[in-house]
Amino acid sequence: DTEVTQTPKHLVMGMTNKKSLKCEQHMGHRAMYWYKQKAKKPPELMFVYSYEKLSINESVPSRFSPECPNSSLLNLHLHALQPEDSALYLCASSQVPGLADNEQFFGPGTRLTVL
Amino acid sequence: QKEVEQNSGPLSVPEGAIASLNCTYSDRVSQSFFWYRQYSGKSPELIMSIYSNGDKEDGRFTAQLNKASQYVSLLIRDSQPSDSATYLCAGGGGNKLTFGTGTQLKVEL
């Protein structure tokens, strides 16, 4: 199994809703990432988990809350989002945290729309 | 200077030609580089990694790294319409990648 999966593919939520994005990989990778991508822009790093521990938070607003329940799963909990948070949310994984040649593999993404 | 810079394009090449995509980087970017292909509305797909000076070939793709000039390129031989996409250059590795803004490639029939 050489892929990263994400659910749901599409999500529409109101500004008062609470929802969660899920990511799963079974490649034995020990680093997992959340990125946000707006149209015609490159992916923007949000969070990094290394060995199931949060190692990087790129000053992301607290309405985004990441969670790594185990080495295969990564969640992103969403609460009180704003319309400008609408974007493609990408999960990625890589084999060993911290290596210079660490290839990151992306999941298909969740297209989020905040009304 | 941005850390990783790419020409946004679009770069148009005829079918069967060689497409040449270029990327420059600053001193603050470490020495591992990655090329991702991203189709419209889809996620980035890793197509090449390069860590040392010189060329690396994989099928129709060749990545080139010149550390002295701080320059990375991707050559696509025998370009096909299915190669039409945005190509993202990324530098770094470790736990952080720095992405360029991407070059849109159009392969015309």
Side-chain angles (χ1 to χ4, degrees), chain A residues 25 27-33 48-52 55 93-105, chain B residues 34 93-96:
Chain A
Q25 57 88 13
M27 296 179 280
H29 289 179
R30 303 307 299 275
M32 296 185 76
Y33 311 78
V48 181
Y49 273 83
S50 300
Y51 299 107
E52 297 87 66
S55 60
S93 71
S94 63
Q95 191 167 20
V96 179
L99 287 185
D101 58 353
N102 220 7
E103 295 178 330
Q104 292 188 24
F105 298 91
Chain B
F34 308 87
N95 285 347
K96 292 190 77 168

Side-chain angles (χ1 to χ4, degrees), chain A residues 50-61:
Chain A
S50 300
Y51 299 107
E52 297 87 66
K53 295 195 185 304
L54 184 65
S55 60
I56 297 176
N57 176 342
E58 293 286 272
S59 302
V60 178

Side-chain angles (χ1 to χ4, degrees), chain A residues 33 37 42-43 48 50 56 58 90 97-108, chain B residues 32 34 36 38 41-44 46 49 51 88 92-97 99-101:
Chain A
Y33 311 78
Q37 188 177 25
V48 181
S50 300
I56 297 176
E58 293 286 272
L90 296 162
L99 287 185
D101 58 353
N102 220 7
E103 295 178 330
Q104 292 188 24
F105 298 91
F106 285 87
Chain B
S32 299
F34 308 87
Y36 287 85
Q38 187 170 25
K42 302 295 186 182
S43 65
L46 180 65
S49 309
Y51 314 116
L88 295 162
N95 285 347
K96 292 190 77 168
L97 287 180
F99 284 91
T101 52

Side-chain angles (χ1 to χ4, degrees), chain A residues 10 14 27 31 46 48 52 65 71 79 81 86-87 107 109-112:
Chain A
H10 301 276
M27 296 179 280
M46 299 174 72
V48 181
E52 297 87 66
S65 175
S71 60
H79 174 55
L81 295 193
S86 298
T110 293
R111 177 75 60 189
L112 174 66

Side-chain angles (χ1 to χ4, degrees), chain B residues 6-69:
Chain B
Q6 295 181 257
N7 187 321
S8 62
L11 171 66
S12 293
V13 299
E15 184 178 7
I18 295 174
S20 177
L21 304 159
N22 305 313
C23 174
T24 56
Y25 62 92
S26 72
D27 289 340
R28 290 182 292 171
V29 178
S30 67
Q31 304 286 289
S32 299
F33 296 92
F34 308 87
W35 283 99
Y36 287 85
R37 177 176 64 198
Q38 187 170 25
Y39 294 113
S40 181
K42 302 295 186 182
S43 65
E45 175 191 7
L46 180 65
I47 54 173
M48 290 289 283
S49 309
I50 188 164
Y51 314 116
S52 55
N53 263 339
D55 296 0
K56 179 181 177 182
E57 187 174 319
D58 184 1
R60 295 188 297 114
F61 299 100
T62 299
Q64 300 174 317
L65 174 58
N66 183 324
K67 293 184 179 180
S69 302

